[in-house]
Amino acid sequence: MSDKQKKQNWREYVRRIDPYVPGEQPKERNIVKLNTNENPYPPSKRVEAVLRGLDPASLRLYPDPDASVLISAIAKHSGVDEDEVFAGVGSDDVLAMAFMTFFNSREPLLFPDISYSFYEVWADLFQVPFEKVPLDEAFRIRTSDYKRANGGIIFPNPNAPTGILLSIREIREILDANRDSVVIVDEAYIDFGGESAVPLIREYDNLLVVQTFSKSRSGAGLRIGYAVGSRELIRHMRDVKFSYNSYTLNPLQIMGGAAMIEDEEHFRKCRDRIIATRERSAVRLKEMGFSVLPSAANFLFASHPSLGGEELFRFLKEHGIYVRHWNKARIENYLRITIGTEEEMEQLFRVLALMIKE
C-alpha cells in the first residue's frame, strides 16, 4: 500500500451527516429578527441579580453535576418530584440525550414529516431507523398513523413550524396505543396556548415531556432545557448523561434558570403580550390576503396566494426583516414568522404592504 493510500484511509471512517441548519443570526444592527422564535422581551429582573451576584472565583470549580437548585425549582413549578426531572443545555441537548437513551430498537422511530428538522439529523447521527409520518391536508397529526409497530415516537406540541396544537385527548390516544414505546412530547411552545402533558406522567411511565427556557422564559441565550418523566426514564437519561458529560450546566445557568422559573408574574406578563400580538398579527396577515394556520405558538405559519415563499423571504430580508423559509415540499410557499414586539410587527406589515402593492 502506498503512502498516499494510507493517508486517505481515515476518511473512510468519518461519520458524514447532513447537519441541522439553525436560523440565521444576523450581525447587522437595526434588523427586525423574526426568524428563530426568540422572545422579544427581556428575562426576569431576578436574572440580573444573579449575574451581579456571581462570584468569578467560583468559576475555578466544576459546577454541581446534579444542578440541584435548578432541578428543585423546575420540579416545584411542574408539580413533580425532583427525581422526575432531567435538565440539560437547552432542549436540544435534552432531546439528543433522549435519542441516545431510548431509541435503540430495530423498529422505526416515528415523527411527522413536517416537524422540527433536528429529529431527522439526530436519527442519522445516532443511527436510529426512522419513518416520517405525513401530516394530513390541513397540516395536522393523525393519531391513527401512530398506531403501529415502532421503536419510539416524538412530536412537537404545538408542532413546529406549523404551530398547530394536539389536544390532551389526542395525546392520550397515541399513548394508549403505544404502551411499549417511549413517547416524547416536545413542548417548546406549549406556554403560548396549549395544555401541557406533564400531568400524564403519573399514568404513563413511557411518557417524556420536554420543555425549554428559550421561548416563553426569554432564556434562549442561557441555554436551559428539561425533561419531565417517570423516575425510571429520568434515571436512564442520567446514566447516559454521566457516561457522556457530567458537568453540562454552569453556575449561571443553574442559578439564573432557577430565578427565571420562579418569577411567574414576569413570565405571564410577557407570554400574554405575545399571545395578544399573535392574534392581532394573524388578523392583519389575513386582511393582506395571507392564509394563516391556527397557531398555539409564538409564531405564525403563513402563505400568500400570488407570492412565493422564497420571493417573500428575500424581499423581507432585503428590507432588514428576517423570517424563516424552507425549500421543502408542501411548505415551500410558507413563511414562519416569529411574534416580535408590536413595533416590530408593524415594520413587517409595512414592508409586506410594499411588496403586495408591487
Side-chain angles (χ1 to χ4, degrees):
M1 184 181 293
S2 68
D3 289 342
K4 184 178 180 181
Q5 287 175 314
K6 289 178 181 178
K7 289 178 182 177
Q8 290 178 338
N9 278 351
W10 65 267
R11 293 181 177 86
E12 298 177 19
Y13 307 105
V14 173
R15 179 167 293 173
R16 292 175 172 82
I17 298 291
D18 289 329
Y20 172 75
V21 180
E24 189 173 355
Q25 296 289 342
K27 303 297 189 296
E28 306 95 321
R29 294 184 177 182
N30 301 318
I31 293 294
V32 177
K33 192 172 182 301
L34 306 176
N35 66 329
T36 50
N37 297 341
E38 294 141 325
N39 196 308
Y41 303 110
S44 165
K45 293 286 187 182
R46 298 185 190 185
V47 179
E48 293 182 26
V50 171
L51 286 168
R52 289 193 297 269
L54 184 65
D55 180 7
S58 68
L59 299 180
R60 68 184 180 82
L61 302 172
Y62 285 111
D64 174 13
D66 295 315
S68 303
V69 172
L70 177 61
I71 292 289
S72 177
I74 293 171
K76 183 178 179 181
H77 167 78
S78 302
V80 300
D81 296 330
E82 292 181 18
D83 55 3
E84 295 173 320
V85 178
F86 176 95
V89 185
S91 60
D92 287 342
D93 178 47
V94 174
L95 289 165
M97 208 66 63
F99 267 65
M100 282 193 283
T101 307
F102 303 119
F103 299 147
N104 297 290
S105 170
R106 293 181 181 178
E107 297 288 349
L109 170 67
L110 304 180
F111 51 84
D113 65 333
I114 299 171
S115 190
Y116 188 27
S117 51
F118 227 141
Y119 298 158
E120 185 172 351
V121 174
W122 285 318
D124 282 339
L125 180 62
F126 301 128
Q127 301 181 346
V128 177
F130 68 91
E131 288 184 19
K132 294 188 284 186
V133 182
L135 300 177
D136 70 13
E137 295 77 10
F139 295 107
R140 293 191 61 85
I141 290 173
R142 289 178 290 227
T143 57
S144 58
D145 290 341
Y146 293 84
K147 297 177 181 180
R148 58 188 173 94
N150 64 76
I153 293 171
I154 184 170
F155 56 88
N157 195 43
N159 195 11
T162 66
I164 294 177
L165 182 74
L166 271 187
S167 67
I168 291 296
R169 177 188 60 77
E170 291 169 304
I171 292 172
R172 279 185 181 277
E173 191 176 335
I174 292 173
L175 287 164
D176 286 335
N178 293 279
R179 292 281 186 168
D180 295 329
S181 299
V182 171
V183 177
I184 299 180
V185 182
D186 182 356
E187 292 188 341
Y189 304 100
I190 197 66
D191 291 328
F192 298 105
E195 182 181 356
S196 175
V198 164
L200 298 184
I201 70 164
R202 294 283 180 256
E203 301 175 50
Y204 301 93
D205 61 3
N206 60 325
L207 169 64
L208 191 76
V209 181
V210 178
Q211 294 193 11
T212 180
F213 282 53
S214 297
K215 316 300 182 185
S216 60
R217 301 279 168 184
S218 304
L222 203 55
R223 309 308 301 129
I224 302 171
Y226 63 95
V228 179
S230 67
R231 290 175 176 81
E232 184 178 4
L233 289 183
I234 298 304
R235 184 177 72 250
H236 289 313
M237 287 187 71
R238 285 174 56 85
D239 288 346
V240 171
K241 171 194 170 180
F242 284 113
S243 302
Y244 178 72
N245 184 357
S246 300
Y247 303 103
T248 55
L249 290 163
N250 64 46
L252 176 57
Q253 292 169 304
I254 293 169
M255 303 305 297
M260 196 176 282
I261 205 166
E262 288 166 354
D263 194 346
E264 190 70 12
E265 181 181 357
H266 179 81
F267 156 74
R268 291 183 183 276
K269 180 180 177 181
C270 293
R271 180 203 59 188
D272 291 349
R273 289 177 71 182
I274 291 167
I275 292 172
T277 303
R278 180 190 71 204
E279 296 307 301
R280 286 192 290 268
S281 297
V283 171
R284 291 285 297 275
L285 286 169
K286 289 174 183 176
E287 290 173 348
M288 300 176 81
F290 283 85
S291 294
V292 183
L293 296 187
S295 176
N298 68 335
F299 58 82
L300 295 170
F301 205 50
S303 66
H304 195 276
S306 60
L307 298 170
E310 186 168 0
E311 182 184 9
L312 282 163
F313 169 78
R314 293 189 182 280
F315 186 86
L316 288 169
K317 188 173 181 180
E318 288 169 4
H319 288 77
I321 298 176
Y322 283 60
V323 295
R324 198 78 195 269
H325 173 256
W326 289 269
N327 279 313
K328 292 183 177 181
R330 298 182 68 191
I331 62 170
E332 65 270 15
N333 283 326
Y334 281 82
L335 298 178
R336 191 194 69 190
I337 304 167
T338 302
I339 302 303
T341 63
E342 287 286 347
E343 294 76 18
E344 289 173 329
M345 300 310 288
E346 284 299 324
Q347 286 182 254
L348 168 73
F349 299 136
R350 283 196 293 270
V351 174
L352 284 175
L354 290 175
M355 188 171 190
I356 292 170
K357 286 178 182 178
E358 290 183 359

